[in-house]
Coordinates of all heavy atoms in Angstrom, one line a residue:
M20 N -35.2 -13.2 150.3 CA -35.1 -13.3 151.7 C -35.5 -14.6 152.3 O -36.4 -15.3 151.7 CB -35.9 -12.1 152.3 CG -35.6 -11.9 153.9 SD -36.6 -10.6 154.5 CE -36.1 -9.2 153.5
S21 N -34.8 -15.0 153.3 CA -35.1 -16.4 153.8 C -36.5 -16.5 154.4 O -36.9 -15.7 155.1 CB -34.0 -16.8 154.8 OG -34.4 -17.9 155.5
N22 N -37.1 -17.7 154.1 CA -38.4 -18.1 154.7 C -38.2 -18.9 155.9 O -39.2 -19.4 156.4 CB -39.1 -18.9 153.6 CG -40.2 -18.1 153.0 OD1 -40.5 -17.0 153.4 ND2 -40.7 -18.6 151.9
S23 N -36.9 -19.1 156.4 CA -36.7 -20.1 157.4 C -37.2 -19.4 158.8 O -37.1 -18.2 158.9 CB -35.3 -20.6 157.5 OG -34.4 -19.5 157.6
R24 N -37.6 -20.3 159.7 CA -38.1 -19.8 161.0 C -37.1 -19.1 161.8 O -36.0 -19.6 162.0 CB -38.8 -20.9 161.8 CG -40.2 -21.0 161.4 CD -40.9 -22.1 162.1 NE -41.2 -21.8 163.5 CZ -42.2 -22.5 164.1 NH1 -42.8 -23.5 163.6 NH2 -42.4 -22.2 165.4
L25 N -37.4 -18.0 162.5 CA -36.5 -17.4 163.4 C -36.3 -18.2 164.6 O -37.2 -19.0 165.1 CB -37.1 -16.0 163.8 CG -37.3 -14.9 162.8 CD1 -37.8 -13.7 163.4 CD2 -36.0 -14.6 162.0
T26 N -35.1 -18.2 165.2 CA -34.8 -18.9 166.4 C -35.5 -18.1 167.6 O -35.9 -17.0 167.4 CB -33.4 -19.0 166.7 OG1 -32.8 -17.6 166.9 CG2 -32.5 -19.5 165.6
D27 N -35.6 -18.7 168.7 CA -36.2 -18.1 169.8 C -35.5 -16.8 170.2 O -36.0 -15.7 170.6 CB -36.1 -18.9 171.2 CG -37.2 -20.1 171.0 OD1 -38.0 -20.1 170.1 OD2 -37.2 -21.0 171.8
A28 N -34.1 -16.8 170.1 CA -33.3 -15.6 170.3 C -33.6 -14.4 169.3 O -33.7 -13.3 169.7 CB -31.8 -15.9 170.3
E29 N -33.8 -14.9 168.1 CA -34.1 -13.9 167.1 C -35.5 -13.4 167.3 O -35.8 -12.2 167.0 CB -34.0 -14.6 165.6 CG -32.6 -14.8 165.2 CD -32.4 -15.7 164.0 OE1 -33.3 -16.5 163.8 OE2 -31.4 -15.6 163.3
V30 N -36.4 -14.2 167.7 CA -37.8 -13.7 168.0 C -37.7 -12.6 169.2 O -38.4 -11.6 169.1 CB -38.8 -14.8 168.3 CG1 -40.1 -14.3 168.9 CG2 -39.0 -15.7 167.1
S31 N -36.9 -13.0 170.2 CA -36.8 -12.0 171.3 C -36.2 -10.7 170.8 O -36.6 -9.6 171.3 CB -35.8 -12.6 172.4 OG -36.4 -13.7 172.9
A32 N -35.2 -10.8 170.0 CA -34.6 -9.6 169.4 C -35.6 -8.7 168.6 O -35.7 -7.5 168.7 CB -33.4 -9.9 168.5
L33 N -36.5 -9.4 167.8 CA -37.6 -8.8 167.1 C -38.5 -8.1 168.0 O -38.9 -6.9 167.8 CB -38.3 -9.8 166.3 CG -39.5 -9.5 165.5 CD1 -39.0 -8.7 164.3 CD2 -40.2 -10.8 165.0
L34 N -38.9 -8.7 169.0 CA -39.8 -8.1 170.0 C -39.2 -6.8 170.8 O -39.9 -5.9 171.1 CB -40.3 -9.1 171.1 CG -41.2 -10.2 170.4 CD1 -41.4 -11.3 171.4 CD2 -42.5 -9.7 170.0
S35 N -37.9 -7.0 171.0 CA -37.2 -5.7 171.6 C -37.1 -4.6 170.6 O -37.3 -3.5 171.0 CB -35.8 -6.1 172.0 OG -35.7 -7.3 172.6
E36 N -36.9 -4.9 169.3 CA -36.8 -3.9 168.4 C -38.2 -3.2 168.1 O -38.2 -2.0 167.8 CB -36.3 -4.5 167.0 CG -36.1 -3.4 165.9 CD -35.5 -4.0 164.7 OE1 -35.2 -5.2 164.5 OE2 -35.4 -3.2 163.7
F37 N -39.2 -4.0 168.2 CA -40.6 -3.5 168.0 C -41.4 -3.7 169.2 O -42.4 -4.6 169.2 CB -41.2 -4.2 166.8 CG -40.3 -4.0 165.5 CD1 -39.6 -5.2 165.0 CD2 -40.2 -2.8 164.9 CE1 -38.9 -5.0 163.9 CE2 -39.4 -2.7 163.7 CZ -38.7 -3.8 163.3
P38 N -41.3 -2.8 170.2 CA -42.1 -3.0 171.4 C -43.6 -2.9 171.3 O -44.3 -3.3 172.2 CB -41.5 -1.9 172.3 CG -40.8 -0.9 171.5 CD -40.4 -1.7 170.2
D39 N -44.0 -2.3 170.2 CA -45.5 -2.1 170.1 C -46.1 -3.4 169.5 O -47.3 -3.5 169.4 CB -45.8 -0.9 169.2 CG -45.4 0.4 169.8 OD1 -45.5 0.5 171.1 OD2 -44.9 1.2 169.1
W40 N -45.3 -4.4 169.1 CA -45.9 -5.6 168.6 C -45.8 -6.7 169.7 O -44.8 -6.6 170.5 CB -45.1 -6.1 167.4 CG -45.2 -5.2 166.2 CD1 -44.5 -4.0 165.9 CD2 -46.0 -5.4 165.0 NE1 -44.9 -3.5 164.7 CE2 -45.8 -4.3 164.1 CE3 -46.9 -6.5 164.7 CZ2 -46.5 -4.3 162.9 CZ3 -47.6 -6.4 163.5 CH2 -47.4 -5.3 162.6
T41 N -46.7 -7.6 169.7 CA -46.7 -8.6 170.7 C -46.7 -9.9 170.0 O -47.3 -10.1 169.0 CB -47.9 -8.5 171.7 OG1 -49.1 -8.6 171.0 CG2 -47.8 -7.2 172.6
L42 N -46.2 -10.9 170.7 CA -46.1 -12.3 170.2 C -47.5 -12.9 170.4 O -48.1 -12.9 171.5 CB -45.0 -13.1 170.9 CG -44.6 -14.4 170.4 CD1 -44.0 -14.2 169.0 CD2 -43.5 -15.1 171.3
R43 N -48.0 -13.6 169.3 CA -49.3 -14.3 169.4 C -49.1 -15.4 170.4 O -48.0 -16.0 170.5 CB -49.8 -14.7 168.1 CG -51.2 -15.1 168.0 CD -51.7 -15.3 166.6 NE -51.0 -16.5 166.1 CZ -51.1 -16.9 164.7 NH1 -51.8 -16.1 163.9 NH2 -50.5 -17.9 164.3
E44 N -50.2 -15.9 171.0 CA -50.0 -17.0 172.0 C -49.3 -18.2 171.6 O -48.5 -18.8 172.3 CB -51.5 -17.4 172.5 CG -51.7 -17.3 174.0 CD -53.1 -17.4 174.4 OE1 -53.6 -18.6 174.3 OE2 -53.7 -16.4 174.8
D45 N -49.4 -18.5 170.3 CA -48.8 -19.8 169.8 C -47.3 -19.5 169.4 O -46.6 -20.4 168.9 CB -49.6 -20.4 168.6 CG -49.7 -19.5 167.4 OD1 -49.0 -18.4 167.4 OD2 -50.3 -19.9 166.4
G46 N -46.9 -18.3 169.5 CA -45.5 -17.9 169.2 C -45.2 -17.9 167.7 O -44.0 -17.7 167.3
K47 N -46.2 -18.0 166.8 CA -46.0 -18.1 165.4 C -46.3 -16.8 164.7 O -46.1 -16.8 163.4 CB -46.8 -19.2 164.8 CG -46.5 -20.6 165.3 CD -47.4 -21.6 164.6 CE -47.0 -23.0 165.0 NZ -47.8 -24.0 164.3
A48 N -46.5 -15.7 165.4 CA -46.9 -14.5 164.7 C -46.7 -13.2 165.7 O -46.7 -13.5 166.9 CB -48.4 -14.5 164.2
I49 N -46.6 -12.1 165.1 CA -46.7 -10.9 165.9 C -47.9 -10.1 165.5 O -48.3 -10.1 164.4 CB -45.4 -10.0 165.8 CG1 -45.0 -9.8 164.3 CG2 -44.2 -10.7 166.6 CD1 -43.9 -8.8 164.2
V50 N -48.5 -9.4 166.5 CA -49.7 -8.7 166.3 C -49.6 -7.3 166.8 O -49.0 -7.0 167.8 CB -51.0 -9.5 167.0 CG1 -51.1 -10.9 166.4 CG2 -50.8 -9.5 168.4
R51 N -50.4 -6.5 166.1 CA -50.5 -5.1 166.6 C -51.8 -4.5 166.1 O -52.2 -4.7 165.0 CB -49.3 -4.3 166.0 CG -49.3 -2.8 166.5 CD -48.1 -2.0 166.2 NE -48.3 -0.6 166.5 CZ -47.5 0.3 166.3 NH1 -46.4 0.1 165.8 NH2 -47.8 1.6 166.8
T52 N -52.4 -3.6 167.0 CA -53.6 -2.9 166.6 C -53.1 -1.4 166.4 O -52.5 -0.8 167.3 CB -54.7 -3.0 167.7 OG1 -55.0 -4.3 167.9 CG2 -55.8 -2.1 167.4
F53 N -53.5 -0.9 165.3 CA -53.2 0.6 165.0 C -54.5 1.3 165.0 O -55.5 0.8 164.6 CB -52.7 0.7 163.5 CG -51.4 -0.1 163.2 CD1 -51.5 -1.4 162.8 CD2 -50.2 0.4 163.4 CE1 -50.4 -2.2 162.6 CE2 -49.0 -0.3 163.1 CZ -49.1 -1.6 162.7
R54 N -54.4 2.6 165.5 CA -55.5 3.5 165.5 C -55.2 4.7 164.8 O -54.2 5.4 165.1 CB -56.1 3.8 166.9 CG -56.8 2.6 167.5 CD -57.7 2.9 168.7 NE -58.4 1.8 169.2 CZ -57.9 0.6 169.7 NH1 -56.6 0.5 169.8 NH2 -58.7 -0.4 170.0
F55 N -56.1 5.2 163.9 CA -55.8 6.4 163.1 C -57.0 7.4 163.4 O -57.9 7.1 164.1 CB -55.7 6.0 161.6 CG -54.6 5.1 161.4 CD1 -54.8 3.6 161.4 CD2 -53.4 5.6 161.0 CE1 -53.8 2.8 161.1 CE2 -52.3 4.7 160.7 CZ -52.5 3.3 160.8
A56 N -56.8 8.6 162.8 CA -57.7 9.6 163.0 C -59.1 9.3 162.5 O -60.2 9.5 163.1 CB -57.3 10.9 162.4
D57 N -59.1 8.6 161.4 CA -60.4 8.2 160.7 C -60.1 7.1 159.7 O -59.0 6.7 159.5 CB -61.0 9.5 160.1 CG -60.0 10.2 159.1 OD1 -59.1 9.5 158.6 OD2 -60.2 11.4 158.9
F58 N -61.2 6.8 158.9 CA -61.1 5.7 157.9 C -60.1 6.0 156.8 O -59.3 5.2 156.4 CB -62.4 5.4 157.3 CG -62.4 4.3 156.3 CD1 -62.2 3.0 156.7 CD2 -62.5 4.6 154.9 CE1 -62.1 1.9 155.7 CE2 -62.4 3.6 154.0 CZ -62.2 2.2 154.4
N59 N -60.1 7.3 156.4 CA -59.2 7.7 155.3 C -57.7 7.5 155.7 O -57.0 7.0 154.9 CB -59.5 9.2 155.1 CG -58.7 9.8 153.8 OD1 -57.5 9.8 153.8 ND2 -59.5 10.0 152.8
E60 N -57.4 7.8 156.9 CA -56.0 7.7 157.3 C -55.7 6.1 157.5 O -54.6 5.7 157.1 CB -55.8 8.3 158.7 CG -55.8 9.8 158.7 CD -54.6 10.5 158.1 OE1 -53.6 9.9 158.2 OE2 -54.9 11.5 157.4
A61 N -56.6 5.4 158.0 CA -56.5 3.9 158.2 C -56.2 3.3 156.8 O -55.3 2.4 156.6 CB -57.6 3.4 158.9
F62 N -57.1 3.7 155.8 CA -57.0 3.0 154.6 C -55.8 3.4 153.7 O -55.3 2.7 153.0 CB -58.4 3.2 153.8 CG -58.6 2.1 152.7 CD1 -59.0 0.9 153.1 CD2 -58.3 2.3 151.4 CE1 -59.2 -0.2 152.2 CE2 -58.4 1.3 150.5 CZ -58.9 0.1 150.9
G63 N -55.4 4.7 154.0 CA -54.2 5.2 153.3 C -53.0 4.3 153.8 O -52.1 3.9 153.0
F64 N -52.9 4.1 155.0 CA -51.9 3.2 155.7 C -52.0 1.9 155.1 O -50.9 1.3 154.7 CB -52.1 3.2 157.2 CG -51.3 2.2 157.9 CD1 -49.9 2.3 158.1 CD2 -51.9 1.0 158.4 CE1 -49.2 1.3 158.8 CE2 -51.2 0.0 159.1 CZ -49.9 0.3 159.3
M65 N -53.2 1.3 155.0 CA -53.3 -0.1 154.5 C -52.9 -0.1 153.0 O -52.3 -1.1 152.6 CB -54.8 -0.5 154.6 CG -55.2 -0.7 156.0 SD -56.9 -1.1 156.2 CE -57.1 -2.8 155.7
T66 N -53.1 0.9 152.3 CA -52.8 1.0 150.8 C -51.2 0.9 150.7 O -50.7 0.2 149.9 CB -53.3 2.3 150.2 OG1 -54.7 2.2 150.4 CG2 -53.0 2.3 148.7
R67 N -50.5 1.7 151.6 CA -49.1 1.7 151.6 C -48.5 0.4 151.9 O -47.6 -0.2 151.3 CB -48.5 2.8 152.5 CG -48.8 4.2 151.9 CD -48.1 5.3 152.8 NE -48.9 5.6 154.0 CZ -49.9 6.4 154.0 NH1 -50.4 7.0 152.9 NH2 -50.5 6.6 155.1
V68 N -49.1 -0.2 152.9 CA -48.7 -1.6 153.3 C -49.0 -2.6 152.2 O -48.2 -3.5 151.9 CB -49.4 -2.0 154.6 CG1 -49.0 -3.5 155.0 CG2 -49.0 -1.1 155.8
A69 N -50.1 -2.5 151.6 CA -50.5 -3.4 150.5 C -49.5 -3.3 149.4 O -49.2 -4.3 148.7 CB -51.9 -3.1 150.0
I70 N -49.1 -2.1 148.9 CA -48.2 -2.0 147.8 C -46.8 -2.6 148.2 O -46.3 -3.3 147.3 CB -48.0 -0.5 147.5 CG1 -49.3 0.0 146.9 CG2 -46.9 -0.3 146.5 CD1 -49.4 1.6 146.7
Y71 N -46.4 -2.4 149.3 CA -45.1 -3.1 149.9 C -45.3 -4.6 149.9 O -44.5 -5.4 149.3 CB -44.7 -2.6 151.2 CG -43.6 -3.5 151.8 CD1 -42.2 -3.3 151.5 CD2 -44.0 -4.5 152.7 CE1 -41.3 -4.1 152.0 CE2 -42.9 -5.4 153.1 CZ -41.6 -5.2 152.8 OH -40.6 -6.0 153.2
A72 N -46.5 -5.0 150.4 CA -46.7 -6.5 150.6 C -46.6 -7.1 149.2 O -46.1 -8.3 149.1 CB -48.0 -6.7 151.3
D73 N -47.3 -6.6 148.2 CA -47.3 -7.2 146.9 C -45.9 -7.2 146.3 O -45.6 -8.3 145.6 CB -48.4 -6.6 146.0 CG -49.2 -7.7 145.3 OD1 -49.4 -8.7 145.9 OD2 -49.5 -7.4 144.1
K74 N -45.2 -6.2 146.4 CA -43.8 -6.1 145.9 C -43.0 -7.2 146.6 O -42.2 -7.9 145.9 CB -43.2 -4.8 146.1 CG -43.5 -3.8 145.0 CD -42.5 -2.6 145.1 CE -43.2 -1.4 144.6 NZ -42.9 -0.2 145.3
A75 N -43.2 -7.3 147.9 CA -42.3 -8.3 148.6 C -42.9 -9.7 148.6 O -42.2 -10.6 149.1 CB -42.2 -7.8 150.1
D76 N -44.0 -9.8 148.0 CA -44.7 -11.2 148.0 C -44.8 -11.7 149.5 O -44.6 -12.9 149.7 CB -44.0 -12.1 147.1 CG -44.9 -13.3 146.8 OD1 -46.1 -13.1 146.8 OD2 -44.4 -14.4 146.6
H77 N -45.2 -10.8 150.4 CA -45.3 -11.2 151.7 C -46.6 -10.4 152.3 O -46.4 -9.1 152.3 CB -44.1 -10.9 152.6 CG -44.1 -11.6 153.9 ND1 -44.2 -12.9 154.0 CD2 -44.2 -11.0 155.1 CE1 -44.1 -13.2 155.3 NE2 -44.2 -12.1 156.0
H78 N -47.6 -11.0 152.6 CA -48.9 -10.4 152.9 C -49.3 -10.4 154.3 O -49.3 -11.5 154.9 CB -49.9 -10.9 151.9 CG -49.5 -10.8 150.5 ND1 -48.8 -11.8 149.9 CD2 -49.8 -9.9 149.6 CE1 -48.5 -11.4 148.6 NE2 -49.2 -10.3 148.4
P79 N -49.8 -9.4 154.8 CA -50.3 -9.4 156.2 C -51.7 -10.0 156.3 O -52.5 -10.0 155.4 CB -50.4 -7.9 156.6 CG -50.7 -7.2 155.3 CD -50.0 -8.0 154.2
E80 N -52.0 -10.5 157.5 CA -53.4 -10.9 157.9 C -53.9 -9.6 158.6 O -53.2 -9.2 159.5 CB -53.4 -12.1 158.8 CG -52.8 -13.3 158.1 CD -52.7 -14.5 159.1 OE1 -53.3 -14.5 160.1 OE2 -52.0 -15.5 158.7
W81 N -55.0 -9.1 158.1 CA -55.5 -7.9 158.9 C -57.0 -7.7 158.8 O -57.7 -8.4 158.0 CB -54.9 -6.7 158.3 CG -54.9 -6.5 156.8 CD1 -55.6 -7.2 155.8 CD2 -54.1 -5.5 156.0 NE1 -55.4 -6.7 154.6 CE2 -54.5 -5.7 154.6 CE3 -53.2 -4.6 156.3 CZ2 -53.9 -5.0 153.7 CZ3 -52.6 -3.8 155.3 CH2 -53.0 -4.0 154.0
F82 N -57.5 -6.8 159.7 CA -58.9 -6.7 160.0 C -59.1 -5.1 160.2 O -58.3 -4.5 161.0 CB -59.3 -7.4 161.2 CG -60.8 -7.2 161.5 CD1 -61.8 -7.8 160.8 CD2 -61.1 -6.4 162.6 CE1 -63.1 -7.7 161.1 CE2 -62.5 -6.3 162.9 CZ -63.5 -6.8 162.2
N83 N -60.0 -4.5 159.5 CA -60.2 -3.1 159.6 C -61.6 -2.8 160.0 O -62.5 -3.3 159.3 CB -59.7 -2.4 158.3 CG -60.3 -1.0 158.2 OD1 -61.1 -0.8 157.3 ND2 -60.0 -0.1 159.1
V84 N -61.8 -2.0 160.9 CA -63.1 -1.3 161.2 C -62.8 0.2 161.4 O -62.1 0.6 162.3 CB -63.8 -1.8 162.5 CG1 -65.1 -1.1 162.7 CG2 -64.0 -3.3 162.4
Y85 N -63.4 1.0 160.5 CA -63.2 2.4 160.5 C -61.8 2.9 160.6 O -61.0 2.8 159.8 CB -64.2 3.1 161.6 CG -64.1 4.6 161.5 CD1 -64.4 5.2 160.4 CD2 -63.8 5.4 162.7 CE1 -64.4 6.7 160.3 CE2 -63.8 6.7 162.6 CZ -64.0 7.4 161.4 OH -64.0 8.8 161.4
N86 N -61.4 3.4 161.9 CA -60.0 3.8 162.1 C -59.1 2.9 162.7 O -57.9 3.2 163.0 CB -60.1 5.1 162.9 CG -60.5 4.8 164.3 OD1 -61.1 3.9 164.6 ND2 -60.1 5.7 165.3
R87 N -59.5 1.7 162.9 CA -58.7 0.6 163.6 C -58.3 -0.5 162.6 O -59.0 -0.9 161.8 CB -59.6 0.0 164.6 CG -58.8 -0.9 165.6 CD -59.7 -1.4 166.8 NE -60.4 -2.6 166.5 CZ -61.6 -2.8 166.4 NH1 -62.5 -1.9 166.7 NH2 -62.2 -4.0 166.2
V88 N -57.0 -0.8 162.7 CA -56.5 -1.8 161.8 C -55.7 -2.8 162.8 O -54.8 -2.5 163.5 CB -55.4 -1.3 160.8 CG1 -54.9 -2.5 160.0 CG2 -56.1 -0.2 159.9
E89 N -56.2 -4.1 162.8 CA -55.5 -5.1 163.5 C -54.7 -5.9 162.5 O -55.2 -6.4 161.5 CB -56.6 -6.1 164.2 CG -57.5 -5.3 165.3 CD -58.6 -6.2 165.7 OE1 -58.6 -7.3 165.5 OE2 -59.5 -5.5 166.4
M90 N -53.4 -6.1 162.9 CA -52.6 -6.8 161.9 C -51.8 -7.9 162.5 O -51.4 -7.8 163.7 CB -51.6 -5.7 161.2 CG -50.9 -6.2 160.0 SD -49.8 -5.1 159.3 CE -50.7 -3.6 159.1
T91 N -51.7 -9.0 161.8 CA -50.9 -10.1 162.2 C -49.9 -10.3 161.1 O -50.2 -10.5 159.9 CB -51.8 -11.3 162.3 OG1 -52.8 -11.1 163.3 CG2 -51.0 -12.6 162.7
L92 N -48.6 -10.5 161.5 CA -47.5 -10.8 160.7 C -47.0 -12.2 161.0 O -46.7 -12.5 162.1 CB -46.3 -9.8 160.8 CG -46.7 -8.4 160.5 CD1 -45.4 -7.5 160.5 CD2 -47.3 -8.2 159.1
T93 N -47.0 -13.1 160.0 CA -46.5 -14.4 160.1 C -46.1 -14.9 158.7 O -46.5 -14.3 157.7 CB -47.6 -15.4 160.7 OG1 -47.0 -16.6 160.9 CG2 -48.8 -15.5 159.8
T94 N -45.3 -15.9 158.6 CA -44.8 -16.4 157.3 C -45.5 -17.8 157.2 O -45.1 -18.8 157.9 CB -43.3 -16.6 157.3 OG1 -42.8 -15.2 157.4 CG2 -42.9 -17.2 155.9
H95 N -46.5 -17.9 156.3 CA -47.3 -19.1 156.2 C -46.4 -20.3 155.7 O -46.5 -21.4 156.2 CB -48.4 -18.9 155.2 CG -49.3 -17.8 155.5 ND1 -49.6 -16.8 154.7 CD2 -49.9 -17.5 156.7 CE1 -50.4 -15.9 155.3 NE2 -50.6 -16.3 156.6
D96 N -45.5 -20.0 154.8 CA -44.6 -21.1 154.3 C -43.7 -21.6 155.4 O -43.2 -22.8 155.3 CB -43.7 -20.5 153.1 CG -44.5 -20.0 151.9 OD1 -45.7 -20.4 151.8 OD2 -44.0 -19.3 151.1
A97 N -43.4 -20.8 156.4 CA -42.6 -21.3 157.5 C -43.3 -21.8 158.7 O -42.8 -22.3 159.7 CB -41.6 -20.1 157.9
D98 N -44.6 -21.6 158.7 CA -45.5 -21.9 159.8 C -45.0 -21.2 161.1 O -44.8 -21.8 162.2 CB -45.6 -23.4 160.0 CG -46.7 -23.7 161.0 OD1 -47.7 -23.0 161.1 OD2 -46.6 -24.8 161.8
G99 N -44.6 -19.9 160.9 CA -44.0 -19.2 162.1 C -43.5 -17.9 161.5 O -43.6 -17.4 160.4
L100 N -42.6 -17.3 162.4 CA -42.0 -16.0 162.0 C -40.7 -16.2 161.3 O -39.9 -17.1 161.6 CB -41.7 -15.2 163.3 CG -42.9 -14.6 164.0 CD1 -42.6 -14.3 165.5 CD2 -43.4 -13.4 163.3
S101 N -40.5 -15.3 160.3 CA -39.2 -15.4 159.5 C -38.7 -14.0 159.4 O -39.3 -13.0 159.9 CB -39.5 -16.0 158.1 OG -40.1 -14.9 157.3
A102 N -37.5 -13.8 158.7 CA -36.9 -12.5 158.5 C -37.9 -11.6 157.7 O -37.8 -10.4 157.7 CB -35.6 -12.7 157.8
R103 N -38.8 -12.2 156.9 CA -39.7 -11.5 156.2 C -40.6 -10.6 157.0 O -41.1 -9.5 156.6 CB -40.6 -12.4 155.2 CG -39.8 -13.0 154.1 CD -40.7 -13.9 153.3 NE -39.8 -14.6 152.3 CZ -39.8 -14.2 151.1 NH1 -40.5 -13.1 150.7 NH2 -39.0 -14.8 150.2
D104 N -41.0 -11.3 158.1 CA -41.9 -10.5 159.1 C -41.2 -9.3 159.7 O -41.8 -8.3 159.9 CB -42.5 -11.5 160.1 CG -43.2 -12.6 159.4 OD1 -44.2 -12.3 158.7 OD2 -42.9 -13.8 159.5
A105 N -40.0 -9.6 160.1 CA -39.1 -8.5 160.7 C -39.0 -7.4 159.7 O -39.1 -6.2 160.0 CB -37.7 -9.1 161.0
A106 N -38.7 -7.7 158.4 CA -38.5 -6.6 157.4 C -39.8 -5.9 157.2 O -39.8 -4.7 157.1 CB -38.1 -7.3 156.1
M107 N -40.9 -6.6 157.3 CA -42.2 -6.0 157.0 C -42.6 -5.1 158.2 O -43.0 -4.0 158.0 CB -43.3 -7.1 156.8 CG -44.6 -6.5 156.4 SD -45.5 -7.7 155.6 CE -46.7 -6.7 154.8
A108 N -42.3 -5.5 159.4 CA -42.6 -4.7 160.6 C -41.8 -3.4 160.5 O -42.2 -2.3 160.8 CB -42.2 -5.4 161.9
R109 N -40.5 -3.5 160.0 CA -39.6 -2.4 159.9 C -40.2 -1.3 158.9 O -40.2 -0.2 159.2 CB -38.2 -2.8 159.5 CG -37.1 -2.0 159.9 CD -35.8 -2.7 159.8 NE -35.6 -3.7 160.9 CZ -35.3 -5.0 160.6 NH1 -35.2 -5.5 159.5 NH2 -35.1 -5.8 161.7
V110 N -40.7 -1.8 157.8 CA -41.2 -1.0 156.7 C -42.5 -0.3 157.3 O -42.7 0.9 157.1 CB -41.5 -1.8 155.5 CG1 -42.4 -1.0 154.5 CG2 -40.2 -2.2 154.8
I111 N -43.3 -1.1 158.0 CA -44.6 -0.5 158.5 C -44.3 0.6 159.5 O -45.0 1.6 159.5 CB -45.4 -1.7 159.1 CG1 -46.0 -2.6 158.0 CG2 -46.5 -1.2 160.0 CD1 -46.6 -3.9 158.5
E112 N -43.4 0.4 160.4 CA -43.0 1.4 161.4 C -42.7 2.7 160.6 O -43.0 3.8 161.1 CB -41.8 1.0 162.2 CG -42.1 -0.2 163.1 CD -43.1 0.0 164.1 OE1 -43.1 1.1 164.8 OE2 -44.0 -0.8 164.3
G113 N -42.1 2.6 159.4 CA -41.7 3.8 158.7 C -42.9 4.5 158.1 O -42.8 5.7 157.7
Y114 N -44.1 3.8 158.0 CA -45.3 4.4 157.4 C -46.1 5.2 158.5 O -47.1 5.8 158.2 CB -46.1 3.3 156.8 CG -45.6 2.7 155.5 CD1 -46.0 1.4 155.2 CD2 -44.7 3.4 154.7 CE1 -45.5 0.8 154.1 CE2 -44.1 2.7 153.6 CZ -44.6 1.4 153.3 OH -44.1 0.9 152.1
L115 N -45.7 5.1 159.8 CA -46.5 5.7 160.8 C -46.1 7.1 161.1 O -45.0 7.5 160.8 CB -46.4 4.8 162.1 CG -46.9 3.4 162.0 CD1 -46.6 2.6 163.2 CD2 -48.4 3.4 161.7
Ligands
H2B22 N1 -47.5 -14.0 152.8 C1 -47.2 -14.5 154.0 N2 -47.4 -13.7 155.1 N3 -46.6 -15.7 154.2 C2 -46.3 -16.5 153.1 O1 -45.7 -17.5 153.3 C3 -46.6 -16.0 151.8 C4 -47.2 -14.7 151.7 N4 -46.3 -16.6 150.8 N5 -47.5 -14.2 150.5 C5 -46.3 -16.2 149.5 C6 -47.4 -15.1 149.3 C7 -46.6 -17.4 148.5 O2 -47.9 -17.9 148.8 C8 -46.5 -17.0 147.1 C9 -46.8 -18.2 146.2 O3 -45.2 -16.6 146.8

């Protein structure tokens, strides 16, 4: 999958497709906070994401406290958003 940066139009389309994600202030990432019933649910979710991430060789930036997971999707190699982030957001939505 391409590592090239999405155009502004593609970023807009991405945000319309995933209304629960917001564009980071610098425009180089999308962010979302997830809340689960407890740590078990949160970590189960993170495990599913981690397995996908390693297979796809595309890894989230994330922070977890108990039932809360804050996630940032960006493509380091592109210094911004790429199709890899869109694909990952799509997969993640399927885990909820
Ligand atoms: N994850 C993310 N989010 N962005 C990247 O550019 C990236 C990655 N690059 N995971 C991969 C690993 C790269 O460092 C390896 C060498 O393929």
Side-chain angles (χ1 to χ4, degrees):
M20 194 177 298
S21 168
N22 256 347
S23 59
R24 267 176 83 159
L25 299 180
T26 62
D27 289 350
E29 287 167 336
V30 171
S31 296
L33 176 69
L34 293 168
S35 317
E36 184 179 353
F37 303 111
D39 295 323
W40 292 81
T41 54
L42 194 61
R43 199 172 67 189
E44 234 168 72
D45 65 4
K47 294 182 176 181
I49 51 172
V50 300
R51 179 170 175 184
T52 298
F53 302 89
R54 282 195 177 70
F55 298 91
D57 52 27
F58 179 74
N59 189 289
E60 293 290 322
F62 205 77
F64 167 75
M65 292 174 76
T66 303
R67 289 185 279 280
V68 173
I70 290 167
Y71 168 82
D73 220 37
K74 273 195 205 139
D76 196 30
H77 193 64
H78 303 83
E80 298 175 13
W81 52 12
F82 177 77
N83 161 243
V84 178
Y85 185 55
N86 67 336
R87 191 173 90 239
V88 179
E89 296 171 11
M90 198 181 303
T91 298
L92 300 184
T93 186
T94 301
H95 304 126
D96 295 346
D98 192 31
L100 288 161
S101 77
R103 289 174 184 268
D104 301 302
M107 191 156 195
R109 208 164 284 125
V110 167
I111 288 168
E112 295 296 316
Y114 292 154
L115 297 171

